[in-house]
Amino acid sequence: MKPSSIDEVRELYEASADSYAEMMNAEINLPLYSDVLSRLHQSISNLKGLLVDTACGSGHMLAMYRDRYDHSRLLFGVDLSPKMVSIASKRLGKSARIVVGDMRQLSAIETGSAAAMINYFALHHLDPKGVSAALLEWNRVLIPGGQLLVAAWEGSGTIDYGDDANLTALKYRSEDLTALISEAGFAVNRCTVEPVEALSMDAVFLEAIKQ
């Protein structure tokens, strides 16, 4: 099954940017975000370099990291949607550079300049070849020992958006995603699958290190 085109995905997030940002105002307070960002801070406390969110949306994860854990770390956000980029830029101000872009092509970021990379709930818009391309690009950008945080919708087949959107997006089994991450030059050190009751789906959360 082929996912919807990047142009179709961009149109969805352009139309839903404001409602997404409002949803994240509450979502970001869930323990999973503070837990994962706290571990990330501990992991990269002795590493220099950017913290990059490759599908930053409204910028909530970068803002939480800045506000709770590290005011001095340089932040960089990428998103397909210009409207999302505008919202994230206003939230983060001068503490981050936020650009419109594709998570598979981070040409604005120098090789070996990032200490950590975040990608939460965006890989479902890519087929396995696209996921591999994104992972290799993230590996390029990260320094040795750099951290990778990934969250994705777990399972097989496509995501049912119901009446909310006419998109095709893919679930990934945790073992398949782990294999793709390992093949791209990372060592996975944490993998958990948790139910998301509000959406009747499971999510897989992975943490890995660039070898």
Side-chain angles (χ1 to χ4, degrees):
M1 183 68 69
K2 185 177 180 180
S4 296
S5 71
I6 291 301
D7 288 339
E8 291 172 308
V9 174
R10 182 185 293 108
E11 289 176 7
L12 169 67
Y13 289 109
E14 282 286 276
S16 61
D18 289 330
S19 59
Y20 177 89
E22 184 176 350
M23 179 273 293
M24 282 301 299
N25 287 336
E27 177 84 7
I28 197 67
N29 294 316
L30 293 176
L32 74 91
Y33 291 103
S34 57
D35 289 348
V36 71
L37 291 177
S38 176
R39 285 194 301 273
L40 176 65
H41 175 57
Q42 294 174 11
S43 297
I44 66 173
S45 60
N46 293 321
L47 298 179
K48 294 181 180 179
L50 300 168
L51 170 58
V52 181
D53 190 334
T54 60
C56 69
S58 50
H60 279 80
M61 289 191 75
L62 289 176
M64 173 178 272
Y65 186 85
R66 176 199 62 190
D67 295 343
R68 294 196 183 185
Y69 306 106
D70 191 343
H71 290 277
S72 61
R73 176 81 59 179
L74 295 174
L75 308 177
F76 199 109
V78 181
D79 202 89
L80 277 175
S81 161
K83 193 165 185 180
M84 286 288 199
V85 166
S86 176
I87 291 171
S89 296
K90 291 176 182 177
R91 173 165 284 105
L92 289 153
K94 295 181 179 180
S95 63
R97 181 183 175 192
I98 313 294
V99 302
V100 176
D102 188 319
M103 59 184 161
R104 297 167 295 181
Q105 300 172 343
L106 305 179
S107 58
I109 306 176
E110 294 182 4
T111 298
S113 63
M117 191 81 58
I118 299 172
N119 186 276
Y120 261 44
F121 301 109
L123 290 180
H124 54 283
H125 295 304
L126 302 178
D127 61 16
K129 184 177 179 180
V131 172
S132 293
L135 288 165
L136 288 172
E137 179 69 343
W138 304 344
N139 186 288
R140 176 191 70 79
V141 167
L142 284 166
I143 62 175
Q147 300 290 309
L148 174 65
L149 306 181
V150 172
W153 297 116
E154 208 278 342
S156 58
T158 60
I159 294 171
D160 182 7
Y161 282 92
D163 296 329
D164 293 334
N166 185 26
L167 282 185
T168 300
L170 307 180
K171 299 177 185 177
Y172 283 93
R173 296 187 305 168
S174 56
E175 56 266 38
D176 295 335
L177 201 51
T178 298
L180 289 170
I181 292 172
S182 299
E183 289 168 4
F186 296 93
V188 176
N189 50 37
R190 184 183 179 93
C191 178
T192 60
V193 176
E194 301 178 16
V196 181
E197 295 181 2
L199 299 175
S200 300
M201 289 193 292
D202 290 340
V204 54
F205 299 90
L206 297 109
E207 299 174 21
I209 185 171
K210 176 178 174 177
Q211 296 180 310

